[in-house]
Amino acid sequence: MIALMKRLGVISAVVLALGVAAGAVPQVMWQLPTAAPKDSIWEKALTDMTAAWARDTGGRVRATVFAGGKLGTEASIVRAMRVNNYQASLFMVTGGLAQIDDGFNALAIPFFFKDDAEMVAVRDALTPDLEKRLNAKGFHLLSWTTGGWVRLFSVNPLRTLADIKKAKLWTSDTDVKMTTWYKTNGFNPVPLDANAAASQLKIGMIDATPSPAYLALLLGMQNNAKYMLDVNLGPFLGALVVTTKAWNAVSPEDQAKLTAAAKVFETKTSVEMPANDAKAVTEMKARGLTVVQMAQKDLDELYATVGKLTASMRNDMVPAEMFDKAVAARDAYRKKK
């Protein structure tokens, strides 16, 4: 028996040595938690992407998706990734990405963009800088995603800037600077957990909340907030990121395969989410939602006033160089258009 065990030990050592000599890559196992809702387009696209990772790398890189905030909020996921408890995640700009680096706030300035083309122009112009800022914090950007446009859902119709300022408006309890900005500029923010907006509408703690239409439909928000202001507050942007430590553990050849699959995820969600945003509005209208159109004079006042107010975000909420680059990219696109 002892002789047999010795022989097996020798065989195992030889097999291991041959594997190393042949350049075998150890299997990489990642956990990918996200606050994206379960059974949503994001979860399905992430699941398809991780399946492609496993297939295209021959099983060398595998990842498990945990959707619906099962493993925590975006802020807590960021903290866990910093100590390598999790390796990748899909974050929103106003959530986990801004927690990692406030340069992402340049893509979350209220009423800064008017349409998709402006958003894409600015996002693409800022991407190289944002990638560098992420890398400096120990993260790597794989791809972007979008969830359509954030609109204001409210218990009472909001038709003017004055109406918006009076509303008890949900803001994230993790974004102290944004809450302070709203207060300073005459709004009435109510900081709450991101998962509490729908329930707090029901009990009257808030009477207005920003949300993309698709997410609002998933949460049944139209049951309590029966009005939607048809003005783009901002794009619901997100990005897929991985820790630098986890990324560097993957071979360059497999990194290219992971990036390719992540770009498919970006394209798929960027096409499907805006389409489903429009479908969600139609569905909620059938369930009693009223879409409020702002009169042109009130819309002009809104953009003019908020345009002046958002300048105060420069160097406080948004690093000056990122704010200036965002403004320059947007204005250059508008001039070209």
Side-chain angles (χ1 to χ4, degrees), residues 252-272:
E253 293 77 14
D254 283 344
Q255 286 179 352
K257 294 172 182 177
L258 301 187
T259 300
K263 292 302 181 184
V264 171
F265 164 83
E266 176 179 313
T267 300
K268 183 177 182 180
T269 55
S270 295
V271 170
E272 290 190 12

Side-chain angles (χ1 to χ4, degrees), residues 6-312:
K6 287 183 177 179
R7 185 177 300 172
L8 290 173
V10 171
I11 292 172
S12 298
V14 171
V15 171
L16 179 61
L18 289 174
V20 172
V25 180
Q27 188 180 72
V28 172
M29 296 292 294
W30 289 352
Q31 292 192 79
L32 199 164
T34 177
K38 284 190 66 62
D39 302 321
S40 65
I41 291 172
W42 289 295
E43 184 189 25
K44 185 179 185 304
L46 286 171
T47 302
D48 290 344
M49 180 192 69
T50 54
W53 285 357
R55 181 193 67 236
D56 297 344
T57 65
R60 291 183 295 275
V61 180
R62 297 179 180 273
T64 303
V65 177
F66 299 90
K70 184 177 181 180
L71 298 185
T73 63
E74 293 201 355
S76 67
I77 292 171
V78 169
R79 291 193 294 270
M81 289 178 73
R82 285 187 170 127
V83 295
N84 202 41
N85 286 345
Y86 308 134
Q87 293 71 44
S89 186
L90 175 66
F91 291 126
M92 293 297 108
V93 162
T94 53
L97 293 172
Q99 291 284 322
I100 297 172
D101 189 275
D102 58 3
F104 282 93
N105 283 329
L107 297 173
I109 301 170
F111 302 105
F112 187 75
F113 304 107
K114 291 185 178 179
D115 55 39
D116 289 312
E118 282 189 6
M119 177 272 292
V120 171
V122 176
R123 184 199 66 189
D124 291 351
L126 267 54
T127 294
D129 292 283
L130 292 171
E131 287 177 330
K132 291 177 184 177
R133 297 176 76 93
L134 272 181
N135 292 342
K137 303 291 178 66
F139 292 85
H140 173 77
L141 191 149
L142 273 174
S143 64
W144 292 99
T145 187
T146 181
W149 286 88
V150 175
R151 273 76 167 264
L152 282 176
F153 289 81
S154 58
V155 175
N156 302 302
L158 305 177
R159 302 184 186 281
T160 65
L161 178 59
D163 291 340
I164 298 172
K165 286 188 172 185
K166 291 176 185 177
K168 292 183 289 184
L169 182 67
W170 175 89
T171 55
S172 172
D173 59 357
T174 63
D175 195 343
V176 177
K177 286 187 176 182
M178 180 60 84
T179 299
T180 301
W181 179 85
Y182 273 117
K183 286 182 178 178
T184 301
N185 289 293
F187 294 87
N188 186 19
V190 180
L192 294 168
D193 180 83
N195 297 318
S199 61
Q200 297 304 309
L201 277 168
K202 188 174 183 178
I203 64 174
M205 180 66 72
I206 57 175
D207 53 31
T209 184
S211 177
Y214 176 71
L215 184 58
L217 177 61
L218 289 180
L219 297 174
M221 201 170 286
Q222 77 284 344
N223 295 328
N224 299 299
K226 296 185 179 298
Y227 297 92
M228 185 194 82
L229 179 60
D230 193 21
V231 176
N232 293 334
L233 176 60
F236 194 57
L237 284 172
L240 182 66
V241 300
V242 59
T243 64
T244 303
K245 181 176 181 180
W247 186 245
N248 289 342
V250 177
S251 70
E253 293 77 14
D254 283 344
Q255 286 179 352
K257 294 172 182 177
L258 301 187
T259 300
K263 292 302 181 184
V264 171
F265 164 83
E266 176 179 313
T267 300
K268 183 177 182 180
T269 55
S270 295
V271 170
E272 290 190 12
M273 288 306 306
N276 277 274
D277 224 33
K279 291 179 183 177
V281 173
T282 300
E283 178 64 26
M284 286 188 288
K285 285 172 66 176
R287 300 183 186 185
L289 180 74
T290 297
V291 176
V292 178
Q293 303 291 338
M294 186 174 279
Q296 189 61 49
K297 65 179 181 63
D298 294 317
L299 188 61
D300 292 341
E301 179 193 1
L302 172 69
Y303 280 117
T305 303
V306 175
K308 296 175 182 177
L309 297 181
T310 53
S312 65

